Amino acid sequence: MAHGTVIVGTGQGGFQLAASLRDSGYADPITLVGDEPGLPYQRPPLSKAFLQGKVDDTGLLLRPPPFYQRIDARVLGGTRVARIDRAARGVHLSSGQTLPYDHLVLATGATARTLCVPGAGLSGVHVLRGLEDARRIREQLARARAVAVVGAGFIGLELAAVARGQGLPMHVIEATARPLLRALSEPMARHLQAFHEAQGTQFHLNTQLDAIEGEDGRATGLRLHGGGRIVADLIVIAVGVTPNDQLARDAGLAVGNGIEVDELLLTSDAAISALGDCANFPFAADGGSRVRIESVQNAVDQARCIAARLCGQPLPYAKVPWFWSEQGPCRLQMAGLAAPGDRSDIEGDPASGRFSVLRYRGDQLSAVESLNDPAAHMRARTALAPVLAPT
């Protein structure tokens, strides 16, 4: 009797794998198991359209319920996997049930980091990773007097645009010298910072948070290193994520900044694959150095790669990474993967609000960042394909 494929994780990658398996003719059982209740949904709108009330819970769904009936895939939402029994090829659920598998795919995603500072547990302090987080933040946005975000990454700046759009005082606290230090070139990051400042957002760079202050169990503000204070009753901690690799670690799989996989996305156990935010894979364009990429594109393309392998068409994973971020009217699209030391050349006029930054490692194009120019982004993906995705 075929046990089929068990997918741990009901995010974009888990959903895509189930859909791609059926599209590729896979006939064995498919079961998706996820901690969160309900059906797979989109995460990117959580920090933008969902907070603004432009999309509701139903609008977030990747597919409506009949889709899963049509592809004959079982979804076990609100269900936690307690451990993996590699010898017996089964996953043990917290309910006591065991799911046998022929192949197991770990699409467990990542968890938002928190801060170990006094006051971090006060009401009004949030992270933004899942739907429940977004619901709580959206509810509080409707009655907040002032907002602060700790961390000037994409989530922090997207939320800043939403808060300013609602007329709320907005502060961004960042420990490094500029926003998006690890993600973007300096010219593009400074341009976005200037946009946010023009909207009224106040940045506190090179600034450490000492404590979150509160009264009667509720947050009222932040105390900064050196004595400065910021008034805020809605505080979001947006300092990155950590990969959910504990299941793999407990099962004795190779783990290092995520679950280690090979070029076919197989773990150290040939019956187990991993994909998405939790997977650490060899990046073909950089001599096979290991990377872990947090993006919808990466999860979707890795899911398709695993589906093809399980259906008898194994190919190494070698896709051009691409990302996007919407911050108010600023639509940023990125293709490729730059290193901090890569050169930055500006193409176009930043004053127009439509330009690109081309990143070079030596003489070779490594990435392109395009603002409000989707055509330039598509050209970049085409140009990078033979460089970053060798066949």
Side-chain angles (χ1 to χ4, degrees):
M1 175 183 174
H3 298 303
T5 297
V6 173
I7 305 165
V8 183
T10 53
Q12 189 98 39
F15 158 80
Q16 186 64 53
L17 177 57
S20 293
L21 282 170
R22 289 296 187 237
D23 286 345
S24 301
Y26 187 82
D28 291 341
I30 298 173
T31 303
L32 296 100
V33 186
D35 291 348
E36 294 185 77
L39 297 175
Y41 65 88
Q42 306 172 71
R43 291 185 188 271
L46 294 180
S47 58
K48 299 174 281 288
F50 184 81
L51 292 183
Q52 295 168 307
K54 295 179 179 179
V55 62
D56 60 12
D57 293 22
T58 301
L60 290 175
L61 293 178
L62 287 162
R63 292 292 187 279
F67 171 82
Y68 301 93
Q69 299 170 11
R70 180 172 65 79
I71 69 168
D72 190 23
R74 184 167 56 144
V75 181
L76 302 179
T79 303
R80 187 177 65 84
V81 174
R83 67 182 182 90
I84 301 166
D85 185 339
R86 290 170 54 193
R89 291 198 179 183
V91 293
H92 296 267
L93 309 182
S94 55
S95 64
Q97 182 184 1
T98 299
L99 297 177
Y101 63 82
D102 296 318
H103 198 80
L104 176 66
V105 181
L106 301 177
T108 48
T111 298
R113 289 194 183 105
T114 56
L115 291 177
C116 295
V117 297
L122 289 168
S123 176
V125 181
H126 306 273
V127 296
L128 178 50
R129 182 66 183 173
L131 179 55
E132 283 302 317
D133 300 326
R135 284 176 179 148
R136 287 189 287 267
I137 293 170
R138 186 173 69 175
E139 178 184 351
Q140 192 170 348
L141 269 171
R143 50 185 169 80
R145 295 188 298 275
V147 184
V149 171
V150 182
F154 289 122
I155 293 293
L157 297 189
E158 288 167 0
L159 195 145
V162 171
R164 286 303 302 144
Q166 297 183 12
L168 292 167
M170 181 72 221
H171 294 263
V172 177
I173 297 91
E174 169 58 42
T176 66
R178 66 170 172 86
L180 299 160
L181 182 65
R182 291 174 294 277
L184 284 184
S185 66
E186 184 166 1
M188 186 63 76
R190 293 298 188 193
H191 183 89
L192 289 172
Q193 180 184 345
F195 160 76
H196 285 283
E197 288 175 335
Q199 303 305 304
T201 293
Q202 297 183 54
F203 284 83
H204 306 263
L205 303 175
N206 289 315
T207 300
Q208 298 285 343
L209 176 66
D210 276 356
I212 298 171
E213 300 179 328
E215 294 178 3
D216 300 322
R218 295 197 59 82
T220 58
L222 303 95
R223 187 171 76 247
L224 308 180
H225 190 67
R229 280 178 164 77
I230 294 171
V231 173
D233 55 346
L234 170 55
I235 299 166
V236 179
I237 308 300
V239 293
V241 300
T242 55
N244 292 329
D245 57 17
Q246 193 61 50
L247 268 178
R249 191 183 302 275
D250 291 345
L253 299 175
V255 171
N257 184 30
I259 304 165
E260 293 188 356
V261 295
D262 64 14
E263 67 278 2
L264 295 175
L265 306 177
L266 279 165
T267 70
S268 50
D269 183 327
I272 303 176
S273 301
L275 65 85
D277 292 5
C278 70
N280 182 315
F281 65 97
F283 188 46
D286 196 22
S289 62
R290 289 195 162 274
V291 297
R292 189 177 60 81
I293 297 178
E294 299 157 13
S295 79
V296 169
Q297 168 273 328
N298 184 63
V300 167
D301 281 342
Q302 288 189 339
R304 290 171 175 154
C305 180
I306 292 173
R309 169 166 48 80
L310 293 178
C311 292
Q313 296 181 311
L315 283 173
Y317 180 69
K319 291 293 185 179
V320 176
W322 56 269
F323 318 79
W324 76 92
S325 174
E326 293 177 357
Q327 301 170 30
C330 298
R331 180 167 177 79
L332 174 69
Q333 294 171 288
M334 299 147 282
L337 205 61
D342 289 1
R343 186 175 84 252
S344 299
D345 289 351
I346 296 175
E347 184 178 84
D349 182 9
S352 72
R354 181 180 177 183
F355 71 102
S356 295
V357 178
L358 282 61
R359 310 294 304 276
Y360 290 92
R361 194 167 308 153
D363 294 328
Q364 185 162 292
L365 185 69
S366 59
V368 179
E369 305 159 359
S370 300
L371 187 68
N372 296 325
D373 195 347
H377 173 68
M378 293 309 297
R379 289 195 300 270
R381 285 166 58 178
T382 300
L384 285 163
V387 176
L388 297 182
T391 57

